[in-house]
Amino acid sequence: MSETSPFVVDADWLQSRLGSPGLSIVDASWYLPAQKRNARDEYDAAHIPGAAFFDLDAVVDPDSDLPHMLPRPNVFAQYAGAMGISADDTIIVYDGPGFFSAPRVWWMFRVMGVYQVYVLDGGFDRWKAQGRPVTAEPTKSAANVFYPSFDASRVVSLADMRRIVESGAVQIGDARSPGRFAGAEPEPRPGIRAGHMPGAKNVPFSALSRDGEFLPLDELREVLEKAGIDPDKPVVTSCGSGVTAAVITLALESLGNTDTRLYDGSWTEWGGQTDTPVVTGKD
């Protein structure tokens, strides 16, 4: 049997531990407008018992006009503590389809110093389809104190990204769709140029899971290598706004690569500049 990610848990594992002390469950669902799903409304209608809702549009840097930028550690700590989460908890993160927005929140907790954090395989859509317990009751959790231990070295700024692209010394994995990567499809946000960074390799986030399940380790390695990424060497991940880039990060760290960084501004920032190099086509 193929080995699976050490950062992914299955539904049986989670269901058997519902209500356990020190277990925090986070609904990190988030959707693009084209998906025509409202994450907050869906959470209010049904969620895993005990789950807190993590709003990816709200837990952000309030001083940035870019979407989904990582907040300062003290701001993140306020949000996490208000959700009843401690940095010592075992945290299970899920989204609707399985591996879309949940890895971003997994990464955020990791960057803030939490290492007992995992993603639910199959997502909430499969959880519901299997008839597992759900509730519409609001989750009531006492506020907690969350002590962050922020690792700034895991986050790439625009200035960092300029140097990386210019030097070509570090691999870049872009999680957007092939059409957006190639510049054949327009960007969903107005004013953003189409294409990709010179030297970037396209690893669509959807290629790393199948039917809501994260691929086994051998298949993750194969997908990355076919895309031109060496999974054992340093990689910076990127996407549209820093969300699905974390799916590549999850794949790399599942394979034991601890030298990963995420470009937080991602294509919304890079493609929104007037002087950043942009190329089109598959390579």
Side-chain angles (χ1 to χ4, degrees):
M1 186 175 179
S2 298
E3 285 187 82
T4 57
S5 170
F7 304 115
V8 172
V9 299
D10 64 26
D12 288 340
W13 186 98
L14 178 56
Q15 185 172 344
S16 70
R17 290 166 174 79
L18 290 179
S20 298
L23 178 72
S24 288
I25 306 172
V26 175
D27 185 328
S29 299
W30 175 83
Y31 300 103
L32 293 164
Q35 293 172 284
K36 301 187 185 304
R37 295 179 65 171
N38 184 295
R40 181 74 212 206
D41 287 351
E42 290 189 20
Y43 170 84
D44 289 340
H47 53 266
I48 295 176
F53 184 72
F54 190 107
D55 189 342
L56 267 168
D57 289 323
V59 188
V60 296
D61 179 357
D63 298 324
S64 175
D65 58 359
L66 293 168
H68 308 130
M69 293 296 282
L70 190 71
R72 294 184 301 278
N74 65 314
V75 174
F76 184 90
Q78 290 171 2
Y79 278 107
M83 286 187 279
I85 298 173
S86 160
D88 296 324
D89 287 349
T90 295
I91 303 170
I92 309 302
V93 186
Y94 70 85
D95 61 29
F99 292 91
F100 180 57
S101 54
R104 166 70 184 194
V105 176
W106 169 86
W107 174 81
M108 291 173 78
F109 276 109
R110 297 265 293 177
V111 168
M112 294 296 172
V114 179
Y115 290 97
Q116 297 296 316
V117 56
Y118 308 90
V119 180
L120 175 65
D121 216 14
F124 188 55
D125 293 346
R126 177 175 293 185
W127 180 278
K128 287 189 297 182
Q130 292 176 339
R132 297 180 186 273
V134 302
T135 183
E137 291 295 317
T139 296
K140 297 177 181 178
S141 300
N144 216 326
V145 179
F146 184 97
Y147 295 103
S149 179
F150 180 50
D151 186 354
S153 70
R154 305 296 295 277
V155 187
V156 172
S157 68
L158 175 61
D160 295 331
M161 203 69 229
R162 287 180 185 274
R163 289 189 289 269
I164 289 165
V165 169
E166 184 176 358
S167 69
V170 181
Q171 302 177 100
I172 305 167
D174 188 323
R176 293 176 300 151
S177 68
R180 288 174 65 189
F181 179 84
E185 297 173 4
E187 284 297 304
R189 294 178 177 87
I192 307 300
R193 292 175 293 163
H196 59 270
M197 288 171 268
K201 302 297 182 183
N202 191 205
V203 188
F205 75 91
S206 58
L208 299 169
S209 64
R210 182 169 49 242
D211 299 327
E213 291 185 1
F214 213 44
L215 295 180
L217 298 186
D218 56 347
E219 293 187 44
L220 290 176
R221 180 173 290 276
E222 182 179 359
V223 169
L224 290 163
E225 289 177 345
K226 281 187 175 180
I229 297 285
D230 184 336
D232 301 316
K233 292 183 178 178
V235 183
V236 171
T237 63
S238 180
C239 59
S241 64
V243 174
T244 58
V247 184
I248 305 178
T249 304
L250 176 60
L252 290 163
E253 295 204 16
S254 296
L255 292 167
N257 188 339
T258 57
D259 197 345
T260 68
R261 290 178 286 166
L262 190 148
Y263 174 29
D264 207 26
S266 280
W267 192 254
T268 300
E269 182 173 52
W270 189 270
Q273 306 295 310
T274 58
D275 63 341
T276 46
V278 172
V279 294
T280 56
K282 294 181 179 180
D283 297 317

